Amino acid sequence: MSPRTGLPSAGAVGGAVASSRDPDLEALRQTLLAEGIRDTDDPRASFGRGLPAAPTPRTSQLPPAILTLGGDGDYTLDHVLGEGGMATVWLAQQRALAREVAVKRAHSPTDGAARQLLHEAIITGQLEHPNIVPVHAVVRDAEGPAVIMKRIGGRSWDELIDTRAPLERHLEVVLQVCQACAFAHSRGVLHRDIKPDNVMIGDFGEVYLLDWGVARRLDDDSTNKLAGTPAYMAPEMVRGRSDVRSDVFLLGASLHQAVTGELRHHGAGMLETVAAAARCDEYAYAPEVPEELAAILTRACAREPEARFQTVNELRDALLRFREHRAASSLVITARARLQQLEALARDPAQADYGRAQALFTETRFAFEQAREVWPE
């Protein structure tokens, strides 16, 4: 074991460390069935989008607008950008400002679906931040409410992970997601469904935390329903509990996937995946994962909330320090390479190029000194 991180030594193979904390599978199965969740459902899909406890405006109170497929409506729907469990997002033209926007509409015209859509719009609209998609307006027509949002082009973090992008790129993404999440917490809102598929990277490098459909307010204890995505969720979320440390876990689980290419929780189906989330086995990171980063991920995804980073900003600060330390580590690698060349020259002084030796010595010393300056510890 590593004395610094408590993780397996460099010879260990990455993977979950078995635990004896097996939940009662039959009780868990009954809980899932009571929530309308089946074992055949996708563990990477979100659930828990029940009716919000917070009051939402009646549809009749929303300003009317004309949404059409072609023609001269206020918003001209073009084509579908994406579909979720409860809503469809369209690309549209806003005639008044001659601009592209995204229009989100519920699949069903029922009052419950409308309330859920408005709940998400109100939560998102109150979180004005560069890493959260702006809501321009909420309107209604004969088919019900529609949320008008900024149109974003790009790809999901999930897609970026599939391209095997370098670690530095993933660190840039997660640090910006941390900013969005920390801001939401400062406004009293938990996201509860942070995952790479809910993070969009724009065409110009901008990063957005999307899908606030299962978000809730920190002071709202009226719901203890399961909510989130089983492959990523913190163990207390299986029991219907969550606080800011649950979002810390979700951030850690998302970066875990970017680093390892694997989901934090695995199972043959929904039941086994939820059971794995409840058990939350410790993960043994492979040697190629930097030890400091492995320690950060292990702490962020600790089973007990008290053992995690207590705020998103604490996690962000740890990741920033790791990124600074990577620069120091790179300098040390360079210094050691120069030192090996210097040692090779020293083994045969008669044939040594003393000008080259002096240059190597200077470069070696400079690199080590710079590394100490970047990382004094």
Side-chain angles (χ1 to χ4, degrees):
M1 299 289 286
S2 162
R4 186 156 64 88
T5 64
L7 297 172
S9 63
V13 177
V17 179
S19 167
S20 61
R21 296 185 296 264
D22 290 321
D24 185 332
L25 291 182
E26 186 53 37
L28 195 54
R29 187 192 307 276
Q30 294 305 317
T31 299
L32 294 178
L33 288 173
E35 300 287 351
I37 302 164
R38 299 165 298 178
D39 191 41
T40 54
D41 290 342
D42 184 358
R44 297 183 64 167
S46 306
F47 60 73
R49 297 172 188 272
L51 295 181
T56 55
R58 297 176 185 171
T59 302
S60 60
Q61 296 173 330
L62 301 175
I66 301 173
L67 287 80
T68 61
L69 283 166
D72 297 324
D74 299 319
Y75 299 94
T76 305
L77 305 180
D78 190 313
H79 64 270
V80 173
L81 293 172
E83 289 191 60
M86 295 189 67
T88 301
V89 180
W90 290 77
L91 174 67
Q93 288 286 333
Q94 183 180 11
R95 188 174 63 167
L97 295 176
R99 66 176 177 180
E100 285 188 340
V101 294
V103 175
K104 190 168 187 177
R105 309 199 68 158
H107 295 323
S108 166
T110 64
D111 183 58
R115 287 179 60 197
Q116 177 61 39
L117 183 68
L118 293 176
H119 165 76
E120 182 178 357
I122 290 168
I123 289 285
T124 310
Q126 292 174 351
L127 299 175
E128 296 187 14
H129 187 273
N131 299 118
I132 298 174
V133 180
V135 173
H136 297 320
V138 182
V139 298
R140 63 178 169 86
D141 67 0
E143 296 184 23
V147 182
I148 314 301
M149 303 176 294
K150 178 179 178 178
R151 186 265 197 269
I152 299 170
R155 57 181 173 171
S156 71
W157 189 12
D158 214 18
E159 294 174 283
L160 182 66
I161 291 171
D162 289 341
T163 68
R164 300 183 182 275
L167 175 59
E168 185 61 34
R169 186 73 182 96
H170 295 304
L171 290 175
E172 290 174 3
V173 173
V174 74
L175 286 169
Q176 293 196 55
V177 178
C178 282
Q179 291 178 170
C181 190
F183 177 79
H185 291 175
S186 75
R187 295 297 187 270
V189 174
L190 291 174
H191 189 283
R192 298 202 297 170
D193 201 20
I194 302 166
K195 57 183 177 180
D197 198 43
N198 281 343
V199 175
M200 179 68 76
I201 302 163
D203 293 330
F204 300 96
E206 63 274 33
V207 175
Y208 296 99
L209 177 56
L210 311 177
D211 200 342
W212 297 77
V214 299
R216 74 164 179 83
R217 300 199 176 278
L218 282 164
D219 58 2
D220 179 11
D221 295 324
S222 61
T223 176
N224 59 358
K225 293 183 65 175
L226 282 164
T229 302
Y232 304 89
M233 62 173 40
E236 67 272 12
M237 296 175 73
V238 177
R239 303 188 299 274
R241 311 294 184 189
S242 56
D243 59 26
V244 296
R245 297 166 299 182
S246 307
D247 277 354
V248 167
F249 189 104
L250 295 171
L251 287 162
S254 298
L255 184 57
H256 169 94
Q257 182 184 349
V259 169
T260 66
E262 299 179 1
L263 299 173
R264 185 60 179 79
H265 307 307
H266 294 272
M270 178 65 79
L271 177 62
E272 285 190 12
T273 305
V274 174
R279 192 173 58 246
C280 193
D281 296 332
E282 187 175 327
Y283 189 90
Y285 289 92
E288 56 265 26
V289 178
E291 189 177 31
E292 185 180 4
L293 179 58
I296 290 171
L297 292 172
T298 298
R299 182 177 175 188
C301 294
R303 184 174 189 272
E304 301 301 331
E306 294 78 12
R308 298 174 204 153
F309 298 99
Q310 296 301 288
T311 67
V312 170
N313 281 332
E314 284 185 16
L315 171 60
R316 183 173 179 272
D317 289 345
L319 290 170
L320 286 170
R321 287 193 298 272
F322 165 68
R323 192 162 69 169
E324 292 173 356
H325 296 168
R326 288 190 79 209
S329 299
S330 179
L331 286 166
V332 169
I333 291 171
T334 299
R336 286 175 175 164
R338 298 291 188 275
L339 182 59
Q340 288 177 351
Q341 296 175 46
L342 183 60
E343 289 171 341
L345 288 176
R347 282 194 289 269
D348 190 2
Q351 301 297 322
D353 178 341
Y354 290 102
R356 175 62 176 155
Q358 186 176 22
L360 286 170
F361 175 79
T362 301
E363 292 171 9
T364 301
R365 182 177 65 182
F366 178 77
F368 277 129
E369 288 175 346
Q370 287 297 109
R372 288 186 61 186
E373 185 173 329
V374 172
W375 191 356
E377 296 86 0

